[in-house]
Amino acid sequence: MNASDPLVRHVRAIFLSDIHLGTRGCQAEALLDFLRHHESDYLYLVGDIIDFWAMSRSIHWTPSQNTVVQKILRRARKGTRVIFIPGNHDEALREYTGTVFGDIELHREYIHQAADGRRYWLVHGDDFDQVTRHHRWVAILGDVAYNLLVSINSRLSWLRRTLGIAGYWSLAGYAKRKVKSAVSFIYDFEDSVMHEARAQGVDGVICGHIHAVSMRNEDGLTYMNCGDWVDSCTAIIEQIDGQFSIIDWGQELRTSGPRLALPAKEDTVKV
């Protein structure tokens, strides 16, 4: 597909985070399907794109994951401005912030100016996670546990399909929503990120890290989280007019299949 294809939608900017290339949980096929249907002037990779933490234990690199890297590099060569903000799982790349490789810019954080002139602070978000900052071994243990839930979930999905049970149910997502401490952590994280964004004098913040897609306005400040491509398969896009939307590509694939003729369902917030 290309930008002249009627099935390809051109947007101003795409924001992706927490792809976790190199792991079994990475939904590379779904991401490729999303990218085939969306072209953009800007492509932001908001951290944890490559999972060096998991790869230090074992590497799971599929042909589709390799194609994701190739597609991103190809877009950069063909004029899409690609900006990579490393997260904690690919923090080794933070040593190279301020440089360009393969036409991809590396930044520790970044300010994106939308079509309507509003300014959005882009940051992965691990600096606002007290567990990651001060108790790294707990974060690594939690990462192993999360990957186990994702692995179990893939088997449950296969069993549900085999039994003819309609719909999709995520064990990892259920755990995040129902465990009280996890819910409390998410709200604390969002409040901390928004507090810093307000101090910086920007109009909003776009981040990742917690695998919880979100978009909300609070007292004139917009908080957006890209979600992930392990469990939910979500992204944030900026449309040509400067309006932002959540794209739930995972839900679209579960209801429509991989060969889509229409854009995915969106949750839109006017900002």
Side-chain angles (χ1 to χ4, degrees):
M1 291 185 183
N2 55 55
S4 62
D5 191 312
L7 302 186
V8 176
R9 180 183 183 192
H10 185 85
V11 298
R12 188 168 185 269
I14 295 173
F15 304 83
L16 303 170
S17 74
D18 298 274
I19 298 173
H20 292 276
L21 292 167
T23 69
R24 290 185 180 275
C26 173
Q27 299 293 321
E29 296 280 358
L31 178 55
L32 286 172
D33 195 74
F34 168 78
L35 291 173
R36 290 185 194 109
H37 288 82
H38 292 82
E39 297 281 354
S40 63
D41 301 325
Y42 300 89
L43 174 60
Y44 292 100
L45 306 172
V46 194
D48 287 1
I49 306 305
I50 305 171
D51 195 331
F52 292 129
W53 284 17
M55 290 170 66
S56 68
R57 300 188 294 270
S58 65
I59 299 176
H60 183 79
W61 197 279
T62 63
S64 58
Q65 293 185 29
N66 205 49
T67 304
V68 167
V69 175
Q70 292 173 353
K71 184 172 284 292
I72 291 172
L73 288 170
R74 189 179 304 117
R75 291 199 175 187
R77 288 197 305 271
K78 291 188 174 182
T80 299
R81 189 174 182 189
V82 181
I83 294 175
F84 186 177
I85 300 168
N88 52 303
H89 284 257
D90 42 26
E91 63 186 347
L93 298 176
R94 288 174 171 168
E95 297 180 24
Y96 304 99
T97 54
T99 64
V100 178
F101 72 94
D103 298 311
I104 296 176
E105 303 173 36
L106 264 69
H107 294 270
R108 185 67 173 82
E109 56 187 50
Y110 194 77
I111 300 294
H112 170 74
Q113 184 164 331
D116 60 6
R118 296 189 184 222
R119 299 166 63 250
Y120 295 87
W121 177 44
L122 273 60
V123 63
H124 178 63
D126 56 293
D127 287 340
F128 302 92
D129 176 352
Q130 298 304 311
V131 173
T132 299
R133 288 187 64 190
H134 303 297
H135 305 283
R136 185 182 175 91
W137 70 271
V138 177
I140 293 174
L141 182 62
D143 179 58
V144 172
Y146 179 77
N147 288 335
L148 177 61
L149 288 177
V150 171
S151 178
I152 293 171
N153 197 82
S154 66
R155 290 167 173 78
L156 286 176
S157 295
W158 173 85
L159 180 61
R160 288 169 65 89
R161 289 194 302 270
T162 301
L163 297 176
I165 301 174
Y168 175 79
W169 183 77
S170 168
L171 177 60
Y174 176 84
K176 285 190 295 184
R177 290 190 301 271
K178 297 301 181 181
V179 176
K180 184 177 180 180
S181 59
V183 173
S184 175
F185 163 76
I186 289 173
Y187 281 112
D188 289 345
F189 172 86
E190 292 182 355
D191 289 343
S192 296
V193 173
M194 291 184 77
H195 177 78
E196 178 59 27
R198 198 177 301 280
Q200 294 203 22
V202 293
D203 298 292
V205 58
I206 303 173
C207 61
H209 186 58
I210 59 174
H211 294 212
V213 67
S214 179
M215 182 182 293
R216 65 186 176 95
N217 292 313
E218 185 176 298
D219 298 328
L221 188 71
T222 302
Y223 169 88
M224 291 180 268
N225 193 297
C226 304
D228 68 276
W229 289 85
V230 175
D231 185 51
S232 61
C233 299
T234 54
I236 299 291
I237 64 166
E238 180 196 353
Q239 299 172 18
I240 298 300
D241 63 359
Q243 183 170 308
F244 286 80
S245 305
I246 292 173
I247 297 286
D248 188 343
W249 203 251
Q251 179 62 29
E252 186 67 21
L253 289 178
R254 289 188 286 270
T255 57
S256 303
R259 302 182 68 85
L260 303 178
L262 295 172
K265 175 185 176 182
E266 299 175 9
D267 293 323
T268 304
V269 173
K270 194 76 172 181
V271 296

